[in-house]
């Protein structure tokens, strides 16, 4: 089974998929630092024969078909304008019956004016754009996918963010040494404010499991389906 992880970050999913499920994985990121670190982690885990890490834009991937695609925390970087292209690119990379897991933070408070000078776009995620879960699902269905499952993890993510703030505070001196006082403070504020956003319901995070039509039908019970 061949899996593509778009926006592989620090490689946690790539390592999990290759170790736990024995699949072949291609992980892509646009960050050379991330790619270098993930390659090192892959080598340390003895997985170089099954895991390939590339510095590549998702729009340039042309070596499908894949059996499954995961996109975790990456579609927030795509934005409304490019969303149709994103969906058709992932659809085109999958074989018939192949699955997509799209995990994304959602904006639950209706239309707002984007302000590029506000705190998050200016200091944390330039050019990011959060959509509602509904908008995301409409785009994915419009691009030819069938929705198999939606899992809302808003309250779980609030707990995760609180744990991240605690970890950062416990390792404050080390974080400042590795970055700077200003950077560490930006991330503490960002994560604390994000925790409030998830606790209040202003934002959510959702995993949408989809299938490209064709191929084999999934089982009736999806839990633990590794297909
Ligand atoms: C917020 S991180 C999420 C990382 C990881 N999936 C995780 O869940 O921890 C976003 C990732 O998307 C990648 N990314 C952003 N824009 C991209 C693009 N146009 N093509 C490929 N990857 C992109 C970044 O390099 C980064 O690895």
């Amino acid at each position: 089974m061949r899996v593509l992880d778009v926006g592989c970050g620090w490689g946690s999913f790539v390592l999990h998929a290759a170790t736990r499920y024995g699949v072949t994985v291609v992980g892509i990121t646009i960050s050379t630092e991330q790619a270098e670190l993930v390659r090192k982690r892959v080598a340390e885990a003895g997985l170089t024969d099954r895991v390939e890490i590339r510095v590549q834009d998702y729009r340039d991937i042309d070596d499908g078909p894949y059996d499954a695609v995961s996109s975790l925390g990456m579609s927030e970087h795509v934005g409304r304008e490019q969303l149709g292209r994103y969906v058709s690119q992932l659809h085109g990379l999958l074989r018939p019956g192949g699955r997509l897991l799209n995990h994304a933070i959602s904006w639950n408070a209706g239309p707002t004016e984007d302000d590029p000078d506000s705190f998050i776009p200016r200091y944390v995620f330039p050019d990011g754009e959060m959509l509602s879960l509904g908008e995301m699902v409409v785009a994915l269905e419009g691009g030819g996918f069938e929705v198999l499952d939606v899992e809302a993890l808003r309250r779980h993510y609030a707990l995760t963010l609180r744990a991240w703030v605690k970890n950062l505070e416990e390792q404050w001196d080390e974080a400042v040494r590795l970055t700077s006082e200003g950077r560490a403070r930006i991330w503490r504020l960002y994560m604390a404010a994000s925790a409030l956003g998830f606790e209040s319901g202003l934002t959510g995070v959702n995993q949408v499991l989809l299938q490209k039509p064709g191929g084999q039908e999934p089982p009736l019970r999806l839990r633990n389906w590794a297909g």
Side-chain angles (χ1 to χ4, degrees):
M1 182 161 172
R2 192 162 177 253
V3 175
L4 171 68
D5 186 34
V6 290
C8 65
W10 309 111
S12 306
F13 174 78
V14 161
L15 290 167
H16 179 77
T19 311
R20 177 88 178 260
Y21 297 100
V23 295
T24 299
V25 192
V26 173
I28 65 144
T29 170
I30 51 171
S31 154
T32 41
E33 290 89 347
Q34 286 181 359
E36 276 163 25
L37 183 82
V38 183
R39 284 186 195 124
K40 190 165 164 277
R41 293 180 74 188
V42 167
E44 282 165 5
L47 293 168
T48 43
D49 56 331
R50 273 190 285 123
V51 178
E52 182 192 354
I53 302 299
R54 301 181 195 152
V55 177
Q56 190 173 36
D57 192 293
Y58 77 89
R59 288 164 288 200
D60 298 329
I61 308 169
D62 59 3
D63 64 343
Y66 287 88
D67 299 294
V69 174
S70 54
S71 174
L72 312 173
M74 190 261 158
S75 55
E76 296 90 328
H77 298 278
V78 169
R80 225 168 242 116
E81 211 179 293
Q82 294 273 317
L83 191 60
R85 183 171 178 189
Y86 166 78
V87 173
S88 71
Q89 169 70 343
L90 300 189
H91 192 270
L93 286 166
L94 279 164
R95 66 160 167 80
R99 277 159 293 149
L100 166 65
L101 184 77
N102 201 84
H103 168 117
I105 295 175
S106 60
W107 179 256
N108 298 341
T112 46
E113 278 292 308
D114 286 338
D115 176 2
D117 281 332
S118 62
F119 176 72
I120 293 178
R122 183 156 176 193
Y123 294 107
V124 186
F125 284 128
D127 299 327
E129 196 167 27
M130 286 187 290
L131 312 180
S132 70
L133 170 64
E135 260 183 296
M136 182 57 82
V137 169
V138 166
L140 290 161
E141 285 186 328
F145 283 104
E146 180 189 0
V147 175
L148 299 181
D149 194 42
V150 177
E151 188 174 13
L153 297 167
R154 176 180 68 78
R155 289 183 308 138
H156 307 66
Y157 209 29
L159 296 174
T160 302
L161 280 150
R162 291 278 175 212
W164 282 343
V165 172
K166 183 167 174 282
N167 285 349
L168 176 59
E169 283 178 338
E170 283 170 5
Q171 305 290 324
W172 186 255
D173 292 345
E174 177 71 350
V176 171
R177 190 185 67 76
L178 289 170
T179 57
S180 65
E181 169 102 25
R183 177 112 338 244
R185 287 172 62 140
I186 284 171
W187 278 85
R188 181 172 58 182
L189 178 57
Y190 167 65
M191 293 192 296
S194 297
L196 285 174
F198 289 107
E199 281 159 5
S200 68
L202 185 67
T203 48
V205 65
N206 305 286
Q207 296 196 152
V208 185
L209 179 66
L210 306 121
Q211 187 170 37
K212 178 171 172 169
Q216 243 191 328
E217 287 276 27
L220 291 175
R221 286 171 68 89
L222 296 173
R223 210 180 152 80
N224 298 328
W225 175 39

